[in-house]
Amino acid sequence: MTCERLVRLLALYLTLCAAAAAGDVRDFKRKASILLKEEPKNPKCFAETKKDFVCFWEEDEERAGSVDQYSFTYAYQKENGSTCALQVLRSAGGKRLFVCRLDRVQMFVQLDIRVYREGIQIHNRSLLIELLFLLDPPKNVTVSSTGRQGQLNVSWVAPSLKYMDDSMIYEVFYARADSHVGQVEAIQACSEMILRGLEASTKYRVQVRVNLDGITYDGFWSAWSDPVFVETLPAELDPLIVSLTFIVSFILVLLCLTMLLSHHRFLIKKLWPAVPTPDSKFQDLFTVYGGDFKEWLGQTSGSLWLTSPFILSEECPSPLEVLSELHLCPPLSSPPLPPKASKALTLVRNEDRVLSKGLLDGESVDRVDALQTNGWRSPLHDHWLLDRLREFQQHPVPRSQCSLLESQDTYITLSGNKRTEEEHREDTLDEVLPPGVFFASRKPPKSESHSDLGSVQQSSGSGNLSSQSSFEYPNNVWTAKDPGYTYMAVADSGVSMDYSPMSRADDIGKVVIYANDYKNEIPPHRRPFLVRQCPVHDDG
Amino acid sequence: HRLFALLLLVLEWTRPGLPSPLRPICDLRVLNHFIQEARDAEVTMKSCREGCGLTEAVSVPQTTVNFDDWEKKNAMEQAQEVQTGLWLLQQALSLLRTSMTNSELNSHIDNVIRNLHSITAVLRSLNFQEYTPPASTVGPEGTWRVSTATELLQVHLNFLRGKVRLLLLDAQACQQEAS
């Protein structure tokens, strides 16, 4: 048991020694490579601590002899010489290293070295050991944040050499982790340094090496320590910049508000345009007469109506296409129509020229060819139509016989009024057409005479028609072949006429119903000459 | 640094009344300055060919430092060794100065001699005992004999960098001030 234990201990010791030796050899070779670059003289010597000193030289494998052929002698000033035992190490590239480790180190005294190979001096050198230090790199290099933007605190453990602490100088290399180009900062007799001027949120690589200041001690720069990677703090907002930004923003907001306030009327007008109302077009209609259009019409002259802006507007009447003809009842006994009265007719007595002008501006001049020449409306014709209407109201023509027009004439009308017939009779002839309402009739292919169309606005609204420019032929005068068609001619002047029964709350209770629907409905009690249904495009 | 050392000397010489204890001079930058000037003198002396030799051999202190051996000595022994060496160097350099005819070297030698006096004052400030020169002119133990100016200045430089510096670093007065 004892022998086995001893054997094990010996084996362990040898293993450790071998490992240590291997580590030592590895360290020596690393330092030797530095000296091979830095030291031109031979032998190349360096001291790692205050108590050791190593010298070596390199020879090619082919030219080198055995270690026995070499002798290394050294002598301190005023002392006798000594001989150093040489060791041989193989290095990379087919080289041999002959190494001498002095066992007695004295400093601040000249050391003379001589190397002989087979009695012939190959190297000779005088040196001072304290001027040839090659220290190990600083250990425990630590890089941490200082808490401030763009700074790092680097600290390390200096080589433990008494009497030499104040003679050590350090170089700190730092660079971005993804770059090989960096900066070097030097510091003396201190084992920490603060790096400044670094980029925020950037990973840096930091390394440190050590040397002696050269006054009392000197040597070579050690190898760089193992790199340490640290990322800097993210960028912080400079309080001054933040405050300036806030002030500038506040000033800009004030300026914007000032501009907005100074132009608020303009902006309100643009963003929320006022809904146009016809109040300005109809003086006193809603203010005095409470929306009673009939009464308003009665109180105002026709010229007032004619002078209303939308009548004078240059709005073009919408084209009206006659799709088919309605063969109506045989004509009543009536005076012959004026030869030039085959035009669309309104009950507007004045301003014929204005209306005709409006008509002529339309696209469907061809369709309104009957209106082009000679003025499309004449007072004589107006009176005739009114007479005919009165007569018809007093003596309604049976359905089979009713017709104010010849068979080939085309008539258009709109339905939708539910006002009572009595009211209609009273108001019909006095009413004027809603603005922009025009008739168009197709010129009959055979007949040279033209029937006039009369259109009287139905002032009562049924609610079926809520269009802007609806109208209705009043008095069941016309019978339709097919009651399912409704004509409507619209000239959109852009004026919205609200004829809904509930358009004005003040008017509830009053007999003011102007609404007419676009729906293709024909009130049963009214069967005007609903000829055919035309597609009406409301341009309003 | 030169001015600082001169100021110290002036204060030391002109102090009135009873001598008051000097403030310890523990800053090694003063010594570093002296070392620099000693190196300059040595380099200049190496390039001198004429008018720069010793007329006779002189005794100089040994400069060898084995840290193990040095640390085995106590402070008194260390101080005595240093003060003896400083005295020997002053004697040798004064002798060199008298035999020098090179004007450039004369200025360097004068600086070096002044620096040695300053170092003595620094040691006094650190409460080291005054050195009493030996009666015999023969060098005490632990001395070398040199015969050239180059060797003399080399010894002077090595002595300052070695033993003098070690003594100042280990001075008790400086240790107390640091703590």
Side-chain angles (χ1 to χ4, degrees):
Chain A
M1 286 296 290
T2 305
C3 292
E4 291 180 1
R5 186 175 292 179
L6 287 174
V7 169
R8 291 177 183 176
L9 287 174
L10 183 61
L12 181 62
Y13 175 75
L14 292 175
T15 303
L16 292 174
C17 289
D24 292 340
V25 171
R26 186 170 54 249
D27 292 339
F28 171 77
K29 286 185 176 181
R30 191 180 304 159
K31 290 184 177 178
S33 64
I34 296 174
L35 278 184
L36 288 171
K37 298 176 184 177
E38 301 292 334
E39 177 64 77
K41 300 177 181 178
N42 281 310
K44 305 179 192 308
C45 302
F46 65 93
E48 292 179 289
T49 63
K50 294 180 298 182
K51 301 179 181 180
D52 62 81
F53 187 68
V54 179
C55 291
F56 69 95
W57 71 94
E58 187 182 54
E59 288 191 17
D60 294 334
E61 191 73 40
E62 301 97 13
R63 295 171 54 184
S66 64
V67 66
D68 299 332
Q69 299 177 0
Y70 299 89
S71 66
F72 186 98
T73 62
Y74 64 96
Y76 288 106
Q77 186 178 10
K78 306 297 185 186
E79 290 184 8
N80 296 328
S82 302
T83 302
C84 177
L86 291 173
Q87 297 177 347
V88 179
L89 296 176
R90 285 182 170 76
S91 63
K95 302 285 186 180
R96 276 195 187 183
L97 296 179
F98 296 90
V99 183
C100 166
R101 293 182 182 274
L102 269 66
D103 54 0
R104 188 166 64 92
V105 176
Q106 299 189 51
M107 295 188 180
F108 306 104
V109 64
Q110 184 173 310
L111 176 65
D112 296 322
I113 297 173
R114 287 180 175 79
V115 178
Y116 298 92
R117 180 179 179 182
E118 296 179 337
I120 301 174
Q121 182 177 296
I122 58 173
H123 300 300
N124 179 18
R125 185 178 177 186
S126 293
L127 52 89
L128 292 168
I129 294 176
E130 71 276 5
L131 301 181
L132 295 174
F133 275 96
L134 179 56
L135 303 176
D136 291 331
K139 296 179 181 178
N140 296 342
V141 176
T142 304
V143 183
S144 61
S145 174
T146 63
R148 293 186 177 183
Q149 181 184 349
Q151 291 187 1
L152 288 175
N153 184 25
V154 185
S155 62
W156 57 87
V157 175
S160 59
L161 293 173
K162 194 178 179 180
Y163 309 117
M164 298 170 64
D165 297 339
D166 57 335
S167 298
M168 291 185 185
I169 56 175
Y170 303 91
E171 281 188 347
V172 178
F173 171 81
Y174 59 100
R176 295 179 59 161
D178 55 352
S179 173
H180 295 287
V181 179
Q183 294 183 348
V184 177
E185 298 287 341
I187 191 170
Q188 182 170 359
C190 188
S191 61
E192 66 177 348
M193 172 189 283
I194 295 177
L195 304 177
R196 294 181 173 86
L198 304 178
E199 297 178 11
S201 302
T202 305
K203 200 171 187 180
Y204 278 88
R205 181 177 78 251
V206 180
Q207 293 176 285
V208 185
R209 66 177 182 178
V210 62
N211 196 0
L212 294 164
D213 60 3
I215 298 175
T216 301
Y217 304 95
D218 201 355
F220 307 93
W221 281 105
S222 70
W224 289 104
S225 62
D226 293 334
V228 177
F229 295 90
V230 172
E231 186 170 346
T232 54
L233 292 176
E236 294 178 354
L237 292 176
D238 190 358
L240 178 62
I241 295 175
V242 172
S243 60
L244 288 176
T245 305
F246 176 75
I247 292 171
V248 170
S249 302
F250 182 71
I251 292 172
L252 289 175
V253 169
L254 281 180
L255 288 174
C256 291
L257 284 175
T258 305
M259 288 180 60
L260 286 173
L261 289 174
S262 62
H263 297 86
H264 71 282
R265 292 184 180 179
F266 173 76
L267 291 174
I268 290 173
K269 188 178 179 182
K270 286 296 180 183
L271 293 175
W272 296 281
V275 177
T277 60
D279 295 5
S280 61
K281 311 296 183 184
F282 302 91
Q283 262 185 344
D284 301 332
L285 172 60
F286 295 102
T287 56
V288 176
Y289 299 97
D292 188 346
F293 194 74
K294 179 183 176 184
E295 187 176 352
W296 179 77
L297 282 177
Q299 296 297 324
T300 58
S301 62
S303 62
L304 180 64
W305 169 253
L306 292 174
T307 58
S308 58
F310 60 84
I311 290 295
L312 299 176
S313 67
E314 299 180 355
E315 293 290 340
C316 304
S318 300
L320 179 65
E321 180 181 0
V322 177
L323 298 181
S324 65
E325 294 182 353
L326 174 67
H327 299 280
L328 300 175
C329 303
L332 295 172
S333 59
S334 64
L337 294 172
K340 298 180 180 180
S342 60
K343 306 275 191 310
L345 175 65
T346 66
L347 292 179
V348 178
R349 288 183 281 275
N350 296 322
E351 302 298 329
D352 291 346
R353 294 179 183 176
V354 175
L355 290 175
S356 63
K357 182 180 179 181
L359 273 177
L360 289 175
D361 291 335
E363 294 179 356
S364 58
V365 174
D366 294 336
R367 299 177 182 178
V368 198
D369 52 356
L371 307 177
Q372 289 181 357
T373 57
N374 301 323
W376 62 279
R377 195 186 305 118
S378 62
L380 182 62
H381 173 69
D382 294 339
H383 288 294
W384 174 84
L385 184 58
L386 289 174
D387 292 337
R388 297 312 308 156
L389 289 173
R390 289 195 189 92
E391 184 182 358
F392 188 76
Q393 289 173 359
Q394 293 171 1
H395 304 285
V397 177
R399 185 174 179 175
S400 61
Q401 299 180 0
C402 67
S403 174
L404 285 178
L405 303 172
E406 295 184 354
S407 61
Q408 294 181 347
D409 290 330
T410 303
Y411 304 96
I412 57 177
T413 184
L414 292 174
S415 66
N417 292 326
K418 291 184 179 177
R419 199 174 174 182
T420 57
E421 293 185 357
E422 293 74 13
E423 293 172 346
H424 270 294
R425 288 170 185 167
E426 293 176 357
D427 299 333
T428 294
L429 300 179
D430 295 332
E431 291 175 353
V432 297
L433 284 174
V437 177
F438 300 99
F439 285 96
S441 64
R442 188 185 62 175
K443 188 175 183 179
K446 297 180 180 179
S447 172
E448 294 181 354
S449 63
H450 302 277
S451 300
D452 294 324
L453 296 176
S455 171
V456 177
Q457 178 192 11
Q458 190 72 324
S459 60
S460 65
S462 64
N464 292 335
L465 276 176
S466 61
S467 66
Q468 296 179 359
S469 54
S470 62
F471 64 93
E472 185 183 21
Y473 204 82
N475 296 315
N476 295 329
V477 174
W478 315 113
T479 59
K481 185 176 183 180
D482 187 346
Y485 296 97
T486 303
Y487 269 106
M488 180 177 65
V490 176
D492 185 12
S493 63
V495 177
S496 172
M497 298 288 290
D498 186 10
Y499 293 98
S500 61
M502 301 301 293
S503 61
R504 289 173 62 85
D506 296 339
D507 296 336
I508 295 175
K510 297 181 183 178
V511 185
V512 179
I513 300 175
Y514 291 93
N516 292 309
D517 290 339
Y518 270 116
K519 292 181 181 177
N520 196 12
E521 295 179 2
I522 302 172
H525 60 282
R526 301 183 187 282
R527 296 295 181 187
F529 48 98
L530 301 176
V531 181
R532 59 175 61 89
Q533 183 179 12
C534 297
V536 176
H537 301 285
D538 186 7
D539 295 333
Chain B
H1 294 294
R2 189 181 302 178
L3 182 63
F4 175 69
L6 182 61
L7 183 63
L8 287 175
L9 291 173
V10 170
L11 289 174
E12 174 63 20
W13 293 333
T14 60
R15 58 182 180 176
L18 295 175
S20 57
L22 291 174
R23 185 174 180 179
I25 300 174
C26 300
D27 192 346
L28 290 181
R29 288 180 293 179
V30 177
L31 181 61
N32 289 340
H33 176 71
F34 298 156
I35 292 172
Q36 293 280 12
E37 290 193 335
R39 180 176 286 120
D40 295 339
E42 181 196 10
V43 171
T44 307
M45 187 61 72
K46 284 181 179 179
S47 62
C48 178
R49 295 288 177 264
E50 293 179 357
C52 49
L54 283 171
T55 57
E56 61 181 279
V58 292
S59 297
V60 292
Q62 294 183 1
T63 60
T64 305
V65 173
N66 183 289
F67 286 93
D68 291 337
D69 297 338
W70 175 264
E71 290 175 353
K72 292 177 183 176
K73 298 175 182 178
N74 56 33
M76 185 179 295
E77 292 173 344
Q78 294 175 355
Q80 188 174 2
E81 186 172 345
V82 170
Q83 286 178 329
T84 302
L86 290 174
W87 182 81
L88 291 173
L89 288 172
Q90 288 177 6
Q91 299 302 314
L93 289 170
S94 297
L95 185 62
L96 178 62
R97 178 66 179 84
T98 57
S99 62
M100 290 290 293
T101 58
N102 190 312
S103 59
E104 183 182 2
L105 281 172
N106 284 337
S107 64
H108 281 286
I109 300 301
D110 292 337
N111 281 338
V112 169
I113 294 174
R114 275 197 300 273
N115 293 341
L116 288 175
H117 289 295
S118 300
I119 293 172
T120 304
V122 170
L123 292 177
R124 196 181 307 116
S125 71
L126 298 178
N127 297 325
F128 290 106
Q129 291 181 353
E130 294 284 341
Y131 173 73
T132 302
S136 173
T137 58
V138 177
E141 292 183 3
T143 61
W144 293 333
R145 298 285 291 179
V146 294
S147 59
T148 65
T150 302
E151 285 183 294
L152 174 59
L153 291 177
Q154 185 181 15
V155 168
H156 167 254
L157 175 61
N158 292 337
F159 189 74
L160 293 182
R161 294 191 299 120
K163 292 181 180 179
V164 174
R165 193 171 188 275
L166 289 173
L167 182 65
L168 293 179
L169 279 173
D170 276 344
Q172 195 69 23
C174 294
Q175 303 297 330
Q176 293 176 355
E177 186 173 293
S179 62

